[in-house]
Amino acid sequence: MNLARRLLFHLARQVYNVVIHLLIPVALLHFFWRARREAAYGQHVGERLCRGPAPTPAPDLWIHAVSLGEMRVAGTLVEALARKRPNLRIQLTTVTPAGRAEGERLQASGLPVEVRYLPLDSPPLVRRFIRELRPGALVLIETELWPNLLWQCRRADLPAVLANARLSPRLRDTYRRFRTLYGPLLAGLDWVAAQSPADAAHFRALGATRVEVAGNLKFDVAPGRARTDLIRGHFLGERLWVAGSTHPGEESRLIEIHHRLCERYPHSLIQLLLAPRHPARAESIVAEVREAGLSAVARSQMDPSGTAADVIVVDTLGELAALYALGDAAFVGGSLVAHGGQNPLEPIAGGCPVILGPDTRNFADMVALLVEAGAVLQVADVDALFEALNGLLVDRERARELARHAQETLDIHRGATERTLALLSPQLRPD
């Protein structure tokens, strides 16, 4: 890097640090505000300011996963590492309560991990965290590129790698806009394991120099990892469909679709298991369903013997992947509104036939692959979603065929875990 670029990079970091320190009070207020409805946001706040005991002994590996989906990917890596290196000590960090809950579940399962929140991206906080943690290497999952985290790793000679790397169009535009800051930081990574050739090309264009295509670790996520005490018999209807990871603006459309299904089959009980992306919204969704003239119950309030409610709204964390396996069909949210879609692999891994809305730009390569393989259905609008659901709920053979193609596609594309571990092996401390 020549002198002019070094100066611009230094200036960009200083500007970023001014902004991040102005935002720290805002972030803390945000956590306490969210805690009014989600108590977990008010817990362990000190960890976000680098307070709390450092692990003893120091971990061999530090894996950072921002939230629930990324933590499940981290779990796939951890399980594979534990099989190969049972004495390995691993520190997991995350940003959200959902990510922390999944990390704690991994810990409770007997895996060699500790879990805590990542400190806010302030130079003194991150520097202190790295100094106290003393890890052997850092693995970042997907797109967690915090500038001070990467810079302090470089200053501490801590190997840092990016696994399961992908760039959504929004993030790609952001990193391109701030390439003066992110280019040198990406160049400082020991390696980037990209999900696809397109992702690899984007990372190289932004400044990363050591980029490999390892595939998508989410294809390797085990379907049985999530747990639920519900069984199909708890849902008393003849048919059950699941709408998972839904966003504001989608639920009203899904409720309308379910109303139409109930009207089309007045002598059959069809039920909807509706899981908003943020469970704190469940109470308002239950009220919305009732206003629409349908019966509704929150999952946490279900009668132990089962329910005949038209709509069951999921207000719990960590169950959705297991709940998909109970459905006759599934819709994956974030795709009927301008959000970019959520990961469709969880319902596929659970053996459920999957329908997606039109906006899946966050997983564009994956969805294109799945659609081409006949592994999922993608629809253009609400009316098309209604017809696709109706078809799968009525034509059981068509539903089984779709699920079978999806499983075959999953099997073909598994193996990213082993390729990622091969890249990671040189960064691990010897036994």
Side-chain angles (χ1 to χ4, degrees), residues 15-262:
V15 171
Y16 173 81
N17 287 337
V18 169
V19 173
I20 205 72
H21 283 109
L22 290 173
L23 290 177
I24 284 176
V26 177
L28 294 174
L29 286 172
H30 169 75
F31 296 140
F32 288 120
W33 179 264
R34 291 286 296 270
R36 298 188 319 147
R37 301 185 67 179
E38 296 178 70
Y41 273 94
Q43 299 168 357
H44 310 289
V45 175
E47 292 179 357
R48 301 186 189 271
L49 299 174
C50 198
R51 294 176 182 171
T56 303
D60 301 291
L61 189 64
W62 167 21
I63 301 178
H64 177 63
V66 61
S67 191
L68 178 60
E70 292 80 5
M71 189 61 79
R72 286 182 177 147
V73 170
T76 300
L77 273 182
V78 169
E79 288 174 355
L81 283 165
R83 288 193 296 269
K84 292 178 179 291
R85 300 275 299 274
N87 297 322
L88 206 65
R89 297 175 301 276
I90 300 171
Q91 175 70 58
L92 299 175
T93 58
T94 187
V95 172
T96 69
R100 187 186 180 103
E102 176 66 10
E104 289 172 345
R105 194 201 63 76
L106 294 172
Q107 185 177 11
S109 73
L111 291 171
V113 299
E114 299 286 338
V115 191
R116 62 174 294 159
Y117 285 124
L118 181 74
L120 297 169
D121 199 44
S122 158
L125 295 180
V126 176
R127 185 164 54 245
R128 177 184 169 189
F129 185 72
I130 293 172
R131 184 174 63 245
E132 293 182 352
L133 191 66
R134 296 171 289 117
L138 168 63
V139 178
L140 302 163
I141 302 294
E142 295 201 358
T143 54
E144 276 293 277
L145 301 177
W146 291 101
N148 282 316
L149 176 59
L150 295 177
W151 179 244
Q152 294 301 327
C153 285
R154 184 189 296 187
R155 291 190 64 189
D157 292 323
L158 174 64
V161 302
L162 185 61
N164 214 47
R166 70 180 182 93
L167 283 173
S168 67
R170 180 181 61 82
L171 279 175
R172 190 162 65 241
D173 291 343
T174 298
Y175 291 148
R176 186 183 297 119
R177 190 177 304 117
F178 298 104
R179 187 176 174 179
T180 300
L181 175 62
Y182 281 102
L185 295 173
L186 284 167
L189 290 170
D190 286 67
W191 49 260
V192 174
Q195 292 186 14
S196 70
D199 288 310
H202 293 317
F203 276 104
R204 291 190 188 100
L206 289 170
T209 56
R210 293 171 288 278
V211 184
E212 303 283 346
V213 178
N216 192 337
L217 287 165
K218 289 182 177 176
F219 280 108
D220 292 345
V221 172
R225 178 171 295 149
R227 294 288 183 267
T228 180
D229 57 4
L230 294 177
I231 60 173
R232 183 63 176 84
H234 284 115
F235 302 94
L236 305 182
E238 290 87 349
R239 294 287 184 270
L240 173 71
W241 65 286
V242 184
S245 298
T246 61
H247 289 255
E250 270 181 326
E251 288 89 8
S252 59
R253 303 177 192 183
L254 296 169
I255 293 165
E256 173 196 341
I257 286 173
H258 192 67
H259 211 301
R260 291 169 64 185
L261 285 170
C262 293

Side-chain angles (χ1 to χ4, degrees), residues 15-16 22 64 96-97 112 134 162 174 215 228 295 304 319 324 341 350 354 363 367 371 388 404 408 428:
V15 171
Y16 173 81
L22 290 173
H64 177 63
T96 69
R134 296 171 289 117
L162 185 61
T174 298
T228 180
S295 59
E319 281 192 303
Y324 275 129
V354 175
F363 299 88
V367 170
V371 170
R404 184 170 62 251
E408 291 169 353
L428 297 176

